[in-house]
Amino acid sequence: MPCRICQRSLELVCDFGRMPIANRFVTADEFAGEYFFPLRLTWCPHCTMVQLAEQPPAEAMFHGAYPFFTGSSRRMQEHFATLAATLQTTWLCGRGNPFVVELGSNDGTLLQHFAQAKIRHLGIEPSANVAALATQRGVATTTEFFSDAAARHILAQHGPADVITMSNVLCHIAPIHEVFAGFATLLAPEGVVVIEDPYWPAVADQTAYDQIYDEHLFYFSLASLTALAQQHGFVVIAAEPQWTHGGSMRYTLARPGTHAMQPTVATVHTHEQEYGIATAAWHRDFGARCAASREQLRSTLEQLAYSKSSVMGYAATSKSTTVLNYCGITTDWLPAICDTTPLKQGKFSPGAHIPIIPAERFHSEPPDVALLFGWNHAEEILAKEQSFTAAGGRWLLYVPTVHLR
Ligand code: DWN
């Protein structure tokens, strides 16, 4: 497979082995028919885009029983409330009857703020169950994948969009050029595209290899996103680091000459150059650190089992699927994972088949050690689980390094 952005040859960064669909939690009678694919991370030495060598079909990943809800974290709700306010004050103020479009609008966590403010909006969400939740909240939502054809249809119905936004969505999409064609069709002449995604240098720097799974096809940096945007006649006018998902970047794109470029672009660009993210050595080093982290986590879990300490996983994140399968973790070391999502409870984790139990069981049967798969929510989770820690419970983390605390 050549680079999806510039069509030149890709180089292997790390082979994570056979992997199931990260968000397809299964029942026992589904074990035999589980979908597996080779999870291999590559990078393009020409345009610098980091990407999976292959990805399962979109319909296998995003379906009518998609079990991730943006609103499942209190701090993420706050983040999206702030983003909504920022979009309004920065890009919509002074525009008559503005129109906001969100791709992958999930349960409407962001767009509900526009609905409440009676601002014209439209969410585009391919997973019917989460889209239905957004509709119940009064968020105008259509259940489909975004494409240039969809953009033409929306343009005819609603007119051009002043803001097209998406958070943790663009990095999931294989027909990415089709999506950019849709931006060009739908965006008003002076409109902006606001994109948030995990920031590849932050992922690599923290050895957060669990961000690598089927849904995450692309791993953007400013350099690689700029190369992509330029192909479609857009420039990046702002690049602002975010705390979300362990380190993300918010990129604002516009048509050349319509808005001034913010100083943040030069700052991030300089940082990426100094950091050397466009070198083969930097990528090789990441691959080596993933393998070392796996061995450390395996040996820590082995020691805990040997000392008869009970361990429970905390939060059945998509990321946990990579950790469990890459590290070969079984129920011998991890008998269960607790999670707040009813759609996951009572099922088994993809591939490794660890039982998912309700979050309440963490309180009624606290383990000696909690393996924190939701490490990106550590601040929120550790604050609400203070009594576990106060009673002597310990947390096992693996980002940025494997450690007990
Ligand atoms: O890009 C993506 C990001 C934004 O969200 C997706 N491809 C899917 C998803 O990834 P994730 O599953 O790794 O997301 P989170 O937000 O790290 O984890 C969510 C899971 O954690 C849910 O199953 C709920 C659970 N959780 C919990 O059990 N207790 C979360 C919190 C905050 C908690 O206190």
Side-chain angles (χ1 to χ4, degrees):
M1 156 72 73
C3 172
R4 292 172 180 85
I5 307 307
C6 71
Q7 307 307 320
R8 290 190 259 183
S9 305
L10 294 169
E11 286 184 9
L12 185 69
V13 176
C14 195
D15 187 343
F16 294 95
R18 204 169 153 265
M19 204 58 67
I21 304 265
N23 260 315
R24 208 171 255 282
F25 291 78
V26 287
T27 53
D29 58 355
E30 291 171 327
F31 287 177
E34 249 186 306
Y35 184 104
F36 285 90
F37 75 106
L39 181 67
R40 285 179 295 142
L41 188 72
T42 64
W43 80 293
C44 174
H46 307 282
C47 71
T48 75
M49 187 66 80
V50 176
Q51 55 201 284
L52 297 187
E54 62 186 84
Q55 189 189 39
E59 294 74 17
M61 299 183 290
F62 309 110
H63 42 79
Y66 188 65
F68 173 72
F69 300 85
T70 305
S72 62
S73 149
R74 183 186 48 73
R75 284 209 65 208
M76 291 303 287
Q77 290 173 22
E78 290 165 6
H79 173 77
F80 286 114
T82 308
L83 174 59
T86 304
L87 293 177
Q88 283 188 49
T89 52
T90 314
W91 301 116
L92 301 182
C93 254
R95 294 202 177 221
N97 198 14
F99 180 41
V100 179
V101 172
E102 186 184 15
L103 273 53
S105 46
N106 198 273
D107 57 7
T109 296
L110 174 74
L111 286 183
Q112 64 181 335
H113 300 288
F114 295 95
Q116 283 155 16
K118 304 217 180 318
I119 292 173
R120 286 195 307 134
H121 64 276
L122 183 66
I124 301 165
E125 172 50 60
S127 298
N129 62 320
V130 287
L133 208 61
T135 307
Q136 279 167 29
R137 283 183 164 156
V139 173
T141 307
T142 157
T143 305
E144 61 182 324
F145 288 101
F146 185 73
S147 62
D148 193 29
R152 285 177 197 286
H153 186 65
I154 297 166
L155 183 69
Q157 277 200 317
H158 304 273
D162 298 288
V163 170
I164 302 177
T165 187
M166 68 227 70
S167 298
N168 308 301
V169 169
L170 189 65
C171 73
H172 295 61
I173 302 177
I176 200 160
H177 297 292
E178 172 78 17
V179 167
F180 268 81
F183 295 164
T185 298
L186 184 58
L187 195 69
E190 300 204 339
V192 292
V193 179
V194 179
I195 299 164
E196 280 187 15
D197 268 309
Y199 182 50
W200 167 241
V203 170
D205 193 32
Q206 299 178 92
T207 324
Y209 64 85
D210 59 350
Q211 289 286 9
I212 298 158
Y213 55 88
D214 57 349
E215 292 179 15
H216 290 175
L217 177 60
F218 295 106
Y219 303 80
F220 301 128
S221 60
L222 174 62
S224 62
L225 194 72
T226 299
L228 171 61
Q230 274 171 355
Q231 285 187 11
H232 294 274
F234 288 98
V235 283
V236 180
I237 59 162
E240 300 157 286
Q242 307 294 314
W243 65 268
T244 50
H245 295 286
S248 301
M249 189 65 78
R250 179 182 299 161
Y251 308 93
T252 305
L253 277 55
R255 292 193 173 90
T258 56
H259 297 283
M261 188 179 283
Q262 305 295 313
T264 53
V265 176
T267 307
V268 174
H269 174 71
T270 306
H271 182 247
E272 288 186 359
Q273 287 206 318
E274 285 170 1
Y275 211 52
I277 63 159
T279 63
W282 195 79
H283 288 93
R284 262 199 309 274
D285 179 57
F286 170 71
R289 280 186 281 119
C290 292
S293 178
R294 168 176 62 180
E295 292 322 307
Q296 282 160 12
L297 185 59
R298 283 180 57 84
S299 93
T300 304
L301 289 169
E302 194 170 22
Q303 281 164 25
L304 288 169
Y306 183 74
S307 64
K308 304 227 178 314
S309 299
S310 59
V311 183
M312 186 186 285
Y314 195 109
T317 59
S318 320
K319 299 180 287 295
S320 67
T321 297
T322 296
V323 178
L324 294 167
N325 289 280
Y326 177 56
C327 299
I329 296 170
T330 68
T331 47
D332 292 343
W333 287 346
L334 188 71
I337 304 171
C338 70
D339 193 279
T340 51
T341 313
L343 260 179
K344 296 181 183 177
Q345 296 163 0
K347 294 191 175 172
F348 296 86
S349 72
H353 302 159
I354 312 286
I356 312 300
I357 58 174
E360 294 71 30
R361 292 264 299 275
F362 183 73
H363 304 120
S364 59
E365 302 161 39
D368 298 317
V369 175
L371 172 50
L372 187 53
F373 290 119
W375 57 268
N376 47 312
H377 301 297
E379 190 184 316
E380 174 176 345
I381 292 173
L382 267 59
K384 76 176 171 187
E385 302 299 359
Q386 279 174 21
S387 54
F388 167 73
T389 316
R394 287 187 302 163
W395 295 92
L396 173 55
L397 288 106
Y398 51 89
V399 174
T401 55
V402 176
H403 63 284
L404 273 162
R405 71 175 191 196

